[in-house]
């Protein structure tokens, strides 16, 4: 598993604290009935424009599927209850030397963006699911309730031509479950927690708990099937067989030119 608790390096002029002084309002999630055995995600929001997958059979991507994919619902908007959530992406076979993760605070239209955090690191070049952790020890403000955020993962195929980067761009919003749902979650094991979160439309927490259950019960056919059902319910079944990547210790890399285009800008190429 690749877990980024600290950036290997940041792009000069980009790493900035989140905006402060924002009004925080709490959002209650309506509690739905406890889910049955089939683990399906039930979206509770209308979604936002964006692209959860980038690239095609071109450039520096290969394999099946030959796409960089943010693990997100088809709505491109995922809810989290965590102040510092984890983010996940499927990385295909590739020959990109670098990859990046970026988090932005933005308005609901995605037009007024300010970078909260960005990290660039050597790319994982074998297929698998990569986890990016938002660090809580670098002075970054926790996600605010009801504030809109965008997050992006990019494979930088050519560090000298950032416009060749292949990227995703989706949304995250922090919400607060009501007391009834919070009590049910607190009393449940990871498998049941995953289903409670999924049934109530809280994407990031459901994803986290499915991965916790898979880690604790790697040979449990029921847990494996629930993971498959969960991803299939958002049309991500093709990557359900890929596990989290192993932890790695990466060497330092030279800093890229801060004047170069932002590699996290969404990929506009047409897939082949």
């Amino acid at each position: 598993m690749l877990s980024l608790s600290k950036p290997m390096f940041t792009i000069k002029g980009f790493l900035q604290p989140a905006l402060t002084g924002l009004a925080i309002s709490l959002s209650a999630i309506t509690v739905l009935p406890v889910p049955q055995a089939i683990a399906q995600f039930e979206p509770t929001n209308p979604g936002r424009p964006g692209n959860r997958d980038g690239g095609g059979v071109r450039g520096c991507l290969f394999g099946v599927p030959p796409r960089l994919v943010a693990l997100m619902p088809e709505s491109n908007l995922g809810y989290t209850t965590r102040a510092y959530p984890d983010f996940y992406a499927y990385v295909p076979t590739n020959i990109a030397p670098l990859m990046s993760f970026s988090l932005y605070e933005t308005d609901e239209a995605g037009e007024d963006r300010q970078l909260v955090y960005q990290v660039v690191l050597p790319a994982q070049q074998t297929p698998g699911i990569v986890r990016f952790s938002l660090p809580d020890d670098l002075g970054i403000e926790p996600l605010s309730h009801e504030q809109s955020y965008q997050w992006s993962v990019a494979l930088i195929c050519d560090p000298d031509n950032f416009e060749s980067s292949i990227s995703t761009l989706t949304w995250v919003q922090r919400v607060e479950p009501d007391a009834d749902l919070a009590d049910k979650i607190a009393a449940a094991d990871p498998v049941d927690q995953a289903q409670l979160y999924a049934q109530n439309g809280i994407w990031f927490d459901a994803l986290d708990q499915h991965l916790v259950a898979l880690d604790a019960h790697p040979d449990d056919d029921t847990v494996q099937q629930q993971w498959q059902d969960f991803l299939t319910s958002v049309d991500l079944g093709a990557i359900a067989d890929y596990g989290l990547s192993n932890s790695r210790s990466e060497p330092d890399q030279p800093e890229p030119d801060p004047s170069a285009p932002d590699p996290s800008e969404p990929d506009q190429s047409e897939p082949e």
Side-chain angles (χ1 to χ4, degrees), residues 6-203:
K6 294 183 179 179
M8 294 176 54
F9 59 84
T10 56
I11 297 180
K12 293 179 180 177
F14 279 87
L15 183 58
Q16 304 174 27
L19 297 179
T20 57
L22 295 170
I24 297 177
S25 60
L26 301 182
S27 174
I29 300 295
T30 302
V31 179
L32 300 177
V34 176
Q36 302 301 313
I38 297 178
Q40 293 189 343
F41 179 72
E42 301 290 344
T44 58
N45 64 71
R48 300 281 176 84
N51 61 305
R52 68 173 181 174
D53 59 348
V57 187
R58 68 170 186 84
C60 62
L61 301 190
F62 309 94
V64 179
R67 313 184 70 81
L68 173 66
V69 183
L71 267 62
M72 288 286 289
E74 295 165 290
S75 66
N76 293 312
L77 170 61
Y79 289 150
T80 180
T81 66
R82 293 175 55 186
Y84 296 93
D86 291 334
F87 301 84
Y88 300 87
Y90 166 76
V91 176
T93 302
N94 68 89
I95 55 173
L98 299 171
M99 67 190 303
S100 69
F101 168 79
S102 308
L103 178 70
Y104 301 90
E105 190 175 68
T106 185
D107 59 14
E108 290 191 2
E111 296 175 351
D112 182 15
R113 299 199 309 178
Q114 178 159 346
L115 189 67
V116 174
Y117 173 72
Q118 186 175 68
V119 63
V120 180
L121 66 157
Q124 173 177 302
Q125 296 182 332
T126 55
I129 297 171
V130 180
R131 180 176 71 184
F132 301 89
S133 294
L134 186 63
D136 60 3
D137 58 353
L138 295 179
I140 299 172
E141 293 290 329
L143 297 193
S144 298
H145 293 89
E146 297 303 323
Q147 173 63 46
S148 294
Y149 297 88
Q150 290 180 325
W151 66 282
S152 173
V153 175
L155 283 170
I156 303 169
C157 296
D158 182 357
D160 295 325
N161 178 18
F162 275 34
E163 292 184 358
S164 69
S165 299
I166 297 168
S167 63
T168 67
L169 186 67
T170 55
W171 300 70
V172 57
Q173 186 173 317
R174 187 180 176 191
V175 296
E176 186 74 22
D178 66 19
D180 189 14
L181 177 57
D183 288 345
K184 292 178 185 294
I185 291 168
D189 62 22
V191 174
D192 290 337
Q193 285 181 357
Q195 295 196 54
L196 281 165
Y197 282 125
Q199 188 76 0
N200 288 278
I202 307 178
W203 172 260

